[in-house]
Amino acid sequence: MNDNDNDIKRLSRLTAILIQLQTKRLLTARALADKFGMSIRTIYRDIKTLEQAGVPIITEEGKGYRLMEGYRVPPLMFTEAQANALITAEQLVLKNKDTSFIRDYCEAIDKIKAVLRYNVQDNANLLSERTRFDQNNYLERNSNSLSDIQFALTNFRIVKIEYTNEKDQTTIRNIEPFALLNTENWLLVAYCQLRQEFRFFRLDRIKKLEILTEEFEPHKMTLQEYFERYH
């Protein structure tokens, strides 16, 4: 890894540490080291770097680090009801079978918690701890492509996939993502260039995925119009 890559990696970690400090009242160097897979000495250096950059970090001897009350980046505010709605939605997301979707949502929730006022933040953390939906926490996460497909769908990018059907036959094809349906498994509605028609694709059967640089012409219809036309 070159120096530029190291700098980018460190900047990313510093930003993540700042988000964590804004998410919780008090964090220990050990907790930060464990979260980011770094040594405690590295965390000490990172905290010092943030302080030198003007971030008001308060060290509570023997307890950990916290941000000065009132320090917020960026200046975005949620009401407590809005925060609670997002926290409740987080528990529904955790039932999802796509690991990329869970990861991206949870990272977004961390950023949202970071900009809440302390009293709302404490209540949101409490609600998160006390809210559970009936679910099998050991349910297999059987896909990891939802985030990439969402990007391709909204940016009209052709996707190359290796797909295994219900007969265990594998084909490689280029598709034009059109819509996503959430059933027991995620389903993608896409125009298949191989078959020259719209098809359903189960995300858990997509074995490999590549977003191509080539764009496709957006399909001029709504999802409702698609169902009316093809079903």
Side-chain angles (χ1 to χ4, degrees):
M1 184 177 290
N2 60 39
D3 289 341
N4 188 49
D5 288 337
N6 281 326
D7 289 343
I8 292 172
K9 188 175 180 181
R10 184 162 189 244
L11 180 60
S12 177
R13 187 174 69 251
L14 290 170
T15 303
I17 288 173
L18 180 55
I19 289 170
Q20 286 297 306
L21 286 169
Q22 290 185 109
T23 302
K24 301 181 184 299
R25 273 186 184 270
L26 201 63
L27 283 172
T28 64
R30 166 56 63 192
L32 289 168
D34 290 344
K35 181 171 182 62
F36 297 107
M38 311 300 294
S39 68
I40 291 180
R41 180 176 294 182
T42 298
I43 296 300
Y44 288 155
R45 286 200 298 265
D46 287 347
I47 293 294
K48 187 173 182 180
T49 299
L50 288 170
E51 289 174 333
Q52 290 171 341
V55 178
I57 298 173
I58 296 172
T59 303
E60 292 192 8
E61 213 55 45
K63 293 183 178 179
Y65 304 107
R66 66 179 176 85
L67 285 178
M68 181 183 294
E69 177 71 41
Y71 183 76
R72 289 290 178 275
V73 177
L76 177 66
M77 299 299 289
F78 289 88
T79 67
E80 184 165 358
Q82 290 168 338
N84 288 347
L86 290 165
I87 297 302
T88 303
E90 180 183 24
Q91 298 303 318
L92 287 169
V93 167
L94 292 176
K95 296 174 67 177
N96 198 277
K97 287 189 174 185
D98 187 275
T99 55
S100 66
F101 184 68
I102 294 171
R103 181 190 64 241
D104 290 343
Y105 189 91
C106 289
E107 287 176 359
I109 284 291
D110 267 357
K111 291 180 180 179
I112 288 167
K113 285 181 181 177
V115 298
L116 298 176
R117 298 187 309 276
Y118 273 137
N119 64 318
V120 177
Q121 188 180 111
D122 287 344
N123 291 348
N125 282 329
L126 176 63
L127 184 65
S128 183
E129 292 167 5
R130 301 289 178 83
T131 303
R132 289 292 181 273
F133 291 89
D134 289 337
Q135 62 180 336
N136 179 0
N137 287 322
Y138 303 101
L139 198 63
E140 179 187 1
R141 307 298 182 191
N142 57 20
S143 68
N144 190 34
S145 54
L146 182 59
S147 291
D148 284 341
I149 288 171
Q150 287 174 325
F151 173 84
L153 189 155
T154 55
N155 289 275
F156 309 111
R157 295 274 285 274
I158 294 174
V159 176
K160 182 180 181 180
I161 61 171
E162 182 179 308
Y163 190 76
T164 302
N165 64 17
E166 65 278 359
K167 297 178 182 177
D168 209 29
Q169 299 168 329
T170 300
T171 56
I172 296 174
R173 57 183 82 192
N174 289 353
I175 60 173
E176 302 170 8
F178 175 71
L180 284 158
L181 309 176
N182 189 355
T183 60
E184 182 179 349
N185 292 286
W186 278 101
L187 287 179
L188 169 66
V189 180
Y191 183 82
C192 176
Q193 294 185 344
L194 178 66
R195 305 302 183 196
Q196 294 286 294
E197 63 182 1
F198 281 94
R199 289 286 182 93
F200 285 101
F201 298 93
R202 272 179 46 172
L203 264 58
D204 60 323
R205 290 181 176 157
I206 296 176
K207 304 308 176 187
K208 290 183 182 178
L209 178 148
E210 179 186 356
I211 300 175
L212 304 182
T213 56
E214 184 183 354
E215 297 182 0
F216 62 86
E217 187 70 26
H219 299 281
K220 304 294 185 183
M221 60 180 169
T222 65
L223 184 56
Q224 182 60 39
E225 286 170 343
Y226 163 80
F227 284 123
E228 291 172 356
R229 187 179 305 179
Y230 296 99
H231 294 279

